[in-house]
């Protein structure tokens, strides 16, 4: 099961005569890169408008005057850094691994809902019957063979099953039935899960190749990382994080002053509240724990939680330990939700039929496995009608959706304060860790006292907090303080007048005073221009990939504007094959394959997570690969063959395709 390595020359080989000494700082490089990209938009006619699609066989111009970035790679730490920043004359020949140049304004879209248009719901597209039949048969064969192996193994190879059998009067800690899926199904295709990577995820990532001598029970690294085109992540603000380490250190204990927080925590929470448009916010050191430890502080016995059937496990866990009653409605089905609300309100609590103490509706802004957006306008309409509280989990939508990147409320043009509680994480768009909850000051003060994360969880470390602040500020932009009033006529002994601050108006730029005084961002980040560009690039990439896959004939889920694009595979045997075939191409592509229990058993899928770092040519590369592999694995069961577009037509009409609603 060894992964074959590309035989073509690699553009990542170490170049002689290059030095990292020319790189003064990450900020100087990012600044020069953004300036060059901006100047590229006004370049002369005839110049290419984007970075060539990343290819292992891509050649970099040998002339130093024509080469923008010499990629220099040191496998000892897995970090690839460019030797020098680009210039305007060189920008069009860049083959850049962290953030691809894409100068054409055609490849930009605004992530915004058109008022009056219906919000697409979730549609389960069924494949032909023979696909479903072969999928069920495949699982049946695996289950039968697995039970036979367990039966024989316990009798003839008992040493290998000691952890599943009673011994010395003790019951086994692990149940053979509970672990059956993991041992007999998932292990067989474990090559496509938990891929080990190194370095910084951006437009590309370094994947550590591995082999298994014992059918995936153990994995052995070959010792050779290979560059891959990858669909995850956005960049960070390295210099700001470095400065925070100098000032605060790196440990959690170093961030604790009184009550488990520091001045940096206070600044971060205030900035989060401004970013999402709420009165106050609190932060937690773990995204999963944000839901599972704060939901029990919101509801309890005698309360009703109405939950979407596809809500994340952290929400389900938090509701379960809260003691509240819970009822689920069909995924993103507003008619099902309204019927459930009517019945729940009219019937009241079980047995006693007393009115519920409170009703809390919990939905996700962007569903991580389906790519669907909550129908927020309809939910707000129902909220006004039935008077329930609304909790929106924006783990995947905040920082990615909306004209200003503020999430689903920003996408639909809805006042965020019409939502009672906004929850989100920092692990996606912000490139950090942890999560937050934002709402009114009354709610947040209550959660600080009664939420379990406050007194029991560790504090977020200063470097992580700085990454959160810097990345949020780069999306928002920073408004400089008003000039200080004139001191003419004052005595020399009078103190210098302080600069005045603008009043923050959501969703505007962050006031200068809301950031740490020592934090310095490059101009392109502080004025918000790069953040705005990335949001518009992400919107184009998302729609282009989503609609392109549909036109090729694949079955996909989700909203067209979603940066999460699931492609349905169904059969378990196709999961590993799709992953391997994508990885073994001339331009290797890393994909995330998702299966049960994250999805229903028969709807396994590839989950593309689009990044703003990718160019239109990168999306072309992915579409071409999917087109070829889809024919081989028989995956095209979506629209009729007569309505499909050939790949050449899709790449040529990309702008038109991206502007289609579906």
């Amino acid at each position: 099961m060894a992964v074959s390595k590309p035989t073509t020359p690699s553009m990542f080989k170490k170049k002689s005569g290059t030095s990292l000494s020319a790189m003064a700082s990450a900020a100087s490089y990012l600044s020069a890169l953004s300036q060059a990209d901006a100047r590229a938009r006004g370049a002369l006619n005839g110049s290419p408008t984007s970075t060539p699609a990343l290819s292992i066989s891509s050649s970099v111009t040998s002339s130093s005057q024509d080469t923008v970035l010499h990629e220099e790679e040191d496998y000892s730490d897995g970090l690839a850094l460019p030797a020098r920043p680009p210039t305007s004359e060189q920008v069009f020949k860049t083959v850049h691994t962290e953030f691809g140049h894409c100068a054409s304004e055609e490849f930009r879209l605004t992530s915004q809902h058109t008022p009056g248009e219906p919000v697409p719901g979730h549609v389960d597209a069924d494949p032909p019957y023979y696909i479903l039949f072969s999928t069920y048969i495949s699982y049946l064969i695996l289950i039968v063979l697995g039970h036979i192996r367990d039966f024989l193994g316990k009798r003839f190879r008992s040493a290998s099953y000691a952890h599943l059998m009673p011994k010395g009067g003790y019951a086994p800690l692990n149940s053979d039935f509970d672990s059956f899926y993991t041992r007999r199904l998932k292990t067989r295709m474990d090559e496509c899960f938990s891929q080990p990577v190194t370095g910084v995820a951006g437009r590309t990532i370094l994947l550590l190749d591995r082999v298994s001598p014992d059918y995936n029970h153990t994995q052995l690294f070959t010792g050779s990382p290979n560059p891959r085109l990858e669909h995850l992540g956005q960049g960070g603000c390295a210099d700001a994080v470095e400065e925070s380490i100098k000032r605060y250190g790196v440990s959690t204990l170093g961030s604790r002053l009184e009550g488990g927080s520091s001045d940096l925590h206070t600044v971060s929470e205030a900035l989060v509240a401004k970013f999402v448009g709420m009165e106050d916010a609190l932060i937690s050191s773990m995204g999963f724990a944000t839901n599972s430890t704060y939901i029990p502080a919101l509801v309890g016995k005698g309360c009703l939680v109405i939950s979407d059937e596809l809500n994340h496990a952290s929400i389900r866990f938090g509701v379960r330990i809260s003691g509240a009653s819970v009822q689920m409605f069909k995924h993103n089905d507003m008619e099902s939700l309204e019927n459930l609300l009517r019945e729940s309100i009219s019937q009241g609590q079980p047995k006693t039929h007393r009115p519920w103490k409170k009703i809390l509706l919990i939905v996700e802004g962007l569903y991580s496995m389906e790519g669907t957006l909550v129908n927020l306008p309809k939910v707000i309409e129902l909220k006004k009608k039935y008077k329930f509280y609304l909790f929106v989990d924006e783990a995947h939508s905040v920082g990615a959706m909306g004209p200003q990147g503020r999430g689903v409320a920003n996408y639909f043009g809805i006042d965020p304060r019409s939502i009672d509680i906004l929850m989100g994480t920092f692990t996606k768009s912000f490139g950090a860790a942890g999560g937050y909850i934002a709402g009114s000051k009354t709610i947040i003060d209550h959660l600080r006292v009664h939420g379990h994360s406050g007194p029991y969880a560790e504090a977020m470390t200063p470097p992580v907090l700085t990454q959160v602040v810097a990345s949020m500020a780069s999306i928002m932009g920073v408004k400089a303080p008003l000039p200080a009033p004139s001191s003419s006529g004052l005595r020399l002994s009078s103190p210098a007048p302080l600069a005045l601050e603008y009043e923050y108006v959501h969703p505007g730029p962050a006031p200068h005073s809301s950031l740490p005084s020592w934090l310095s961002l490059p101009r392109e980040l502080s004025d918000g221009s790069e953040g705005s560009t990335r949001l518009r690039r992400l919107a184009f990439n998302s729609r282009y990939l989503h609609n392109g896959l549909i036109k090729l004939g694949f079955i996909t889920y989700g909203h067209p504007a979603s940066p999460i694009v699931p492609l349905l595979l169904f059969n378990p045997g196709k999961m590993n094959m799709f992953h391997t075939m994508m990885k073994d191409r001339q331009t290797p592509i890393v994909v995330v394959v998702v299966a049960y229990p994250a999805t229903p058993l028969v709807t396994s899928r590839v989950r593309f997570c689009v990044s703003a770092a990718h160019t239109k040519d990168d999306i072309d590369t992915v579409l071409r690969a999917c087109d070829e592999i889809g024919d081989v694995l028989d995956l095209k069961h979506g629209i009729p063959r007569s309505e499909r577009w050939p790949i050449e037509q899709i790449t040529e009409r990309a702008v038109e395709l991206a502007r289609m609603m579906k």
Side-chain angles (χ1 to χ4, degrees):
M1 210 175 83
V3 179
S4 60
K5 295 174 62 176
T7 58
T8 51
S10 173
M11 59 169 278
F12 293 87
K13 292 294 180 63
K14 190 172 290 188
K15 302 274 185 179
S16 60
T18 58
S19 172
L20 295 180
S21 59
M23 177 73 67
S25 66
S28 62
Y29 170 70
L30 289 174
S31 176
L33 182 63
S34 182
Q35 291 176 23
D37 196 38
R39 287 193 295 267
R41 300 189 184 102
L44 297 175
N45 294 333
S47 298
T49 56
S50 65
T51 305
L54 178 66
S55 173
I56 299 305
S57 61
S58 297
S59 60
V60 183
T61 309
S62 58
S63 171
S64 60
Q65 286 78 14
D66 293 333
T67 303
V68 183
L69 296 178
H70 290 298
E71 300 297 342
E72 183 160 335
E73 185 170 329
D74 182 1
Y75 286 143
S76 63
D77 59 6
L79 182 64
L81 291 175
R84 64 177 187 274
T87 65
S88 57
E89 294 79 17
Q90 300 168 334
V91 68
F92 291 114
K93 297 185 190 319
T94 302
V95 180
H96 183 47
T97 61
E98 191 275 332
F99 191 82
H101 293 299
C102 188
S104 175
E105 285 294 327
E106 288 187 325
F107 305 141
R108 308 278 195 275
L109 282 178
T110 300
S111 177
Q112 189 171 19
H113 177 71
T114 303
E117 287 192 1
V119 181
H122 178 68
V123 179
D124 285 321
D126 294 324
Y129 284 116
Y130 78 90
I131 294 293
L132 290 176
F133 180 76
S134 63
T135 300
Y136 281 113
I137 288 296
S138 297
Y139 279 112
L140 179 61
I141 292 173
L142 288 172
I143 291 171
V144 170
L145 290 178
H147 281 298
I148 293 175
R149 293 183 66 186
D150 279 357
F151 179 81
L152 297 176
K154 289 179 180 179
R155 285 153 180 80
F156 299 103
R157 298 182 58 193
S158 57
S160 301
Y161 291 81
H163 62 295
L164 300 175
M165 300 171 63
K167 184 178 181 181
Y170 289 92
L173 284 175
N174 298 319
S175 166
D176 59 348
F177 181 79
D178 292 341
S179 64
F180 182 82
Y181 174 81
T182 302
R183 292 183 295 106
R184 294 306 183 200
L185 279 76
K186 180 178 179 295
T187 303
R188 287 178 171 268
M189 47 192 176
D190 217 25
E191 167 62 20
C192 61
F193 300 117
S194 306
Q195 287 292 307
V197 299
T198 184
V200 179
R203 181 173 173 245
T204 63
I205 197 168
L206 287 176
L207 180 67
L208 297 177
D209 286 341
R210 58 184 181 173
V211 295
S212 176
D214 51 6
Y215 304 102
N216 290 332
H217 289 286
T218 60
Q219 299 280 353
L220 301 177
F221 294 125
T222 63
S224 56
N226 282 322
R228 315 284 188 188
L229 178 61
E230 192 249 6
H231 277 253
L232 280 176
Q234 294 190 29
C237 304
D239 289 327
V241 174
E242 181 181 356
E243 178 64 23
S244 74
I245 293 175
K246 295 177 181 177
R247 290 174 174 267
Y248 294 91
V250 296
S251 68
T252 300
L253 293 177
S255 67
R256 288 185 180 271
L257 293 182
E258 295 181 2
S261 63
S262 69
D263 60 328
L264 200 52
H265 285 79
T266 304
V267 169
S268 302
E269 290 178 340
L271 186 62
V272 168
K274 288 183 174 62
F275 185 87
V276 299
M278 287 297 197
E279 187 179 2
D280 199 2
L282 61 82
I283 56 179
S284 174
S285 57
M286 181 181 176
F288 189 99
T290 305
N291 277 332
S292 59
T293 62
Y294 282 114
I295 289 177
L298 293 169
V299 291
K301 188 175 181 181
C303 300
L304 173 65
V305 173
I306 297 180
S307 176
D308 189 288
E309 66 178 351
L310 295 184
N311 274 344
H312 192 264
S314 62
I315 297 174
R316 294 168 176 260
F317 186 76
V319 173
R320 188 182 302 126
I321 65 177
S322 71
S325 299
V326 58
Q327 296 188 27
M328 293 189 294
F329 65 96
K330 189 176 179 181
H331 174 54
N332 222 19
D333 189 328
M334 296 298 104
E335 183 178 352
S336 171
L337 171 59
E338 186 167 14
N339 291 338
L340 182 57
L341 284 166
R342 286 177 178 173
E343 181 180 356
S344 301
I345 294 173
S346 63
Q347 295 298 317
Q349 298 184 41
K351 298 182 181 179
T352 64
H353 299 290
R354 293 177 179 175
W356 297 102
K357 293 180 179 179
K358 70 181 78 166
I359 298 177
L360 177 65
L361 172 64
I362 304 181
V363 294
E364 293 187 40
L366 173 59
Y367 290 85
S368 58
M369 295 300 158
E370 317 303 312
T372 47
L373 281 181
V374 62
N375 190 342
L376 192 58
K378 182 63 176 178
V379 170
I380 296 297
E381 180 184 328
L382 294 176
K383 183 178 185 295
K384 295 176 181 177
K385 183 177 181 181
Y386 293 100
K387 309 302 180 184
F388 54 81
Y389 293 101
L390 177 58
F391 182 114
V392 178
D393 180 334
E394 289 211 279
H396 294 84
S397 54
V398 69
M401 304 291 298
Q404 289 82 29
R406 311 300 172 89
V408 289
N410 187 217
Y411 177 82
F412 288 108
I414 292 175
D415 182 3
R417 299 201 180 188
S418 61
I419 303 169
D420 299 291
I421 301 163
L422 283 173
M423 176 269 171
T425 63
F426 303 125
T427 57
K428 311 298 188 300
S429 299
F430 306 109
Y436 68 86
I437 284 186
S440 67
K441 192 175 190 322
T442 303
I443 292 177
I444 299 304
D445 287 344
H446 172 81
L447 293 179
R448 291 186 197 279
V449 176
H450 295 90
H452 295 119
S453 283
Y456 299 120
E458 74 282 357
M460 289 175 67
T461 61
V464 175
L465 288 170
T466 305
Q467 172 65 26
V468 170
V469 170
S471 57
M472 275 195 176
S474 67
I475 296 175
M476 300 173 72
V478 182
K479 201 159 192 176
L482 289 168
S486 174
S487 58
S488 58
L490 295 178
R491 290 179 300 176
L492 295 178
S493 58
S494 300
L498 298 176
L500 302 178
E501 270 291 349
Y502 295 95
E503 182 180 356
Y504 176 74
V505 178
H506 184 77
H512 188 269
S513 61
S514 63
L515 304 179
S517 58
W518 49 265
L519 182 65
S520 177
L521 294 174
R523 181 179 57 81
E524 291 72 23
L525 296 182
S526 62
D527 65 13
S529 59
E530 183 171 325
S532 176
T533 298
R534 290 197 179 210
L535 287 169
R536 297 178 65 220
R537 283 182 58 168
L538 177 61
F540 175 86
N541 290 346
S542 302
R543 283 185 177 268
Y544 177 35
L545 179 61
H546 182 275
N547 292 338
L549 289 173
I550 291 177
K551 284 299 183 182
L552 285 174
F554 292 99
I555 295 178
T556 64
Y557 287 165
H559 192 282
S562 166
I564 297 173
V565 185
L567 185 155
L568 276 292
L569 299 178
F570 300 104
N571 196 294
K574 295 179 181 180
M575 296 165 58
N576 207 38
M577 285 301 299
F578 189 95
H579 171 268
T580 303
M581 293 176 72
M582 291 288 275
K583 190 173 63 173
D584 288 347
R585 294 180 63 82
Q586 184 180 21
T587 302
I589 302 172
V590 177
V591 296
V592 177
V593 177
V594 185
Y596 179 86
T599 67
L601 189 65
V602 297
T603 58
S604 57
R605 64 201 66 175
V606 173
R607 180 171 166 262
F608 292 102
C609 299
V610 186
S611 168
H614 295 118
T615 66
K616 186 263 184 185
D617 294 326
D618 293 336
I619 307 300
D620 290 346
T621 301
V622 174
L623 288 172
R624 291 182 188 278
C626 290
D627 182 45
E628 296 174 12
I629 296 173
D631 289 331
V632 175
L633 298 183
D634 190 23
L635 298 175
K636 298 181 179 180
H637 306 293
I639 60 176
R641 191 177 298 272
S642 59
E643 300 178 16
R644 299 176 190 173
W645 290 9
I647 185 62
E648 291 77 14
Q649 184 178 1
I650 289 175
T651 56
E652 291 173 2
R653 299 173 63 181
V655 176
E656 172 190 347
L657 193 62
R659 282 167 169 74
M660 292 182 179
M661 280 305 298
K662 188 109 179 179

